[in-house]
Amino acid sequence: MDAKLSELLNHQINEELYSAYLYLTFADYYEDRGLKGFANWYMVQVQEEVAHAKILRRYLLDNDVSVKMTAIAEPDKTFSTDLEPLEAGLAHEKHITACIDRCYAAANDVHDFRAMQMLDWFVKEQGEEETNASDMIKNMKLFGSDPKGLYDLDREYQTRVFVAPTMPM
Ligand code: FEO
C-alpha cells in the first residue's frame, strides 16, 4: 500500500479512538446532570467509534500493513450547558469528515480502488454522523429549555442501542 495512504489510515485509527474518548466525556457530563438518556446515546456512540477504529485496523492488517497504536490525546473540553457537548460533537464530526476525505483523496491519487471502496462506507457514515449531531442540536434548541421537553428527549435517547456496523469488504 502507498506509504502516505497507509499512514493516513493508521492515523485515522487514532482519530476514531480519540472520538470514542471524547464521547465518553460527553456521556460523563450528561451522567453528572442526571440525563441518563443522553449519556446512553453517547455511550453507544463510543461503541460505534471503537468499531470504526477496528474496521480500519482490520483493513490495514488484511493488506499486510503493520498497525501502530499511538497516544490518544486528553479531551480538554468542559461544558456549562446541555447544548455545548452537542455543538462540540457536530464540530468534531465535521473534523472527522475532513480526515476521511483526506484518506479518500490519497487513495484516489494512487488509484487504490480497494481502499476507496472501503472508504466509501466511511464517507456515507460521516454523512449520517453529521446529520445525527445536527438533529440533536435542533432538538435541544426546540425542546431543551422546557423540563418536560428535556425529559422526553432524554427518554428518546435512552432507547438507542449499539448495532455493530456491517460493511462490504
Ligand atoms: Fe467514526 Fe463519529 O465518526
Side-chain angles (χ1 to χ4, degrees):
M1 190 186 299
D2 174 70
K4 181 185 169 197
L5 176 59
S6 63
E7 191 183 320
L8 283 169
L9 292 176
N10 200 118
H11 176 71
Q12 193 60 30
I13 294 174
N14 185 285
E15 292 278 357
E16 301 292 344
L17 292 176
Y18 173 79
S19 302
Y21 209 31
L22 179 68
Y23 292 142
L24 208 44
T25 69
F26 290 14
D28 292 347
Y29 167 84
Y30 289 118
E31 190 81 33
D32 286 346
R33 288 270 300 127
L35 292 167
K36 287 187 181 289
F38 282 82
N40 172 67
W41 200 95
Y42 278 109
M43 286 309 291
V44 172
Q45 194 61 29
V46 168
Q47 288 177 283
E48 279 212 358
E49 302 302 354
V50 172
H52 297 168
K54 287 164 76 176
I55 290 169
L56 291 160
R57 172 185 174 272
R58 187 77 256 157
Y59 184 82
L60 289 174
L61 292 175
D62 286 349
N63 285 276
D64 296 327
V65 177
S66 298
V67 174
K68 183 169 164 49
M69 289 295 157
T70 51
I72 300 170
E74 179 182 344
D76 61 353
K77 293 198 167 33
T78 53
F79 306 113
S80 51
T81 71
D82 297 335
L83 182 62
E84 285 176 9
L86 308 180
E87 289 180 327
L90 178 58
H92 181 68
E93 288 303 335
K94 287 182 175 176
H95 162 73
I96 294 296
T97 297
C99 292
I100 294 293
D101 287 352
R102 261 196 300 281
C103 292
Y104 202 99
N108 187 46
D109 283 348
V110 296
H111 294 182
D112 188 334
F113 302 114
R114 192 187 310 154
M116 288 163 73
Q117 189 182 44
M118 182 272 294
L119 288 164
D120 276 337
W121 183 88
F122 280 90
V123 170
K124 183 167 177 288
E125 173 71 10
Q126 280 314 117
E128 291 171 12
E129 295 279 70
E130 288 191 29
T131 299
N132 286 340
S134 177
D135 285 351
M136 290 180 87
I137 291 170
K138 287 177 193 155
N139 284 340
M140 180 61 84
K141 285 182 175 171
L142 277 171
F143 310 115
S145 56
D146 168 58
K148 175 73 166 69
L150 186 61
Y151 177 78
D152 287 344
L153 265 186
D154 195 55
R155 290 271 297 242
E156 183 186 326
Y157 294 148
Q158 184 75 57
T159 62
R160 188 184 191 199
V161 291
F162 175 64
V163 179
T166 51
M167 61 180 303
M169 273 177 67

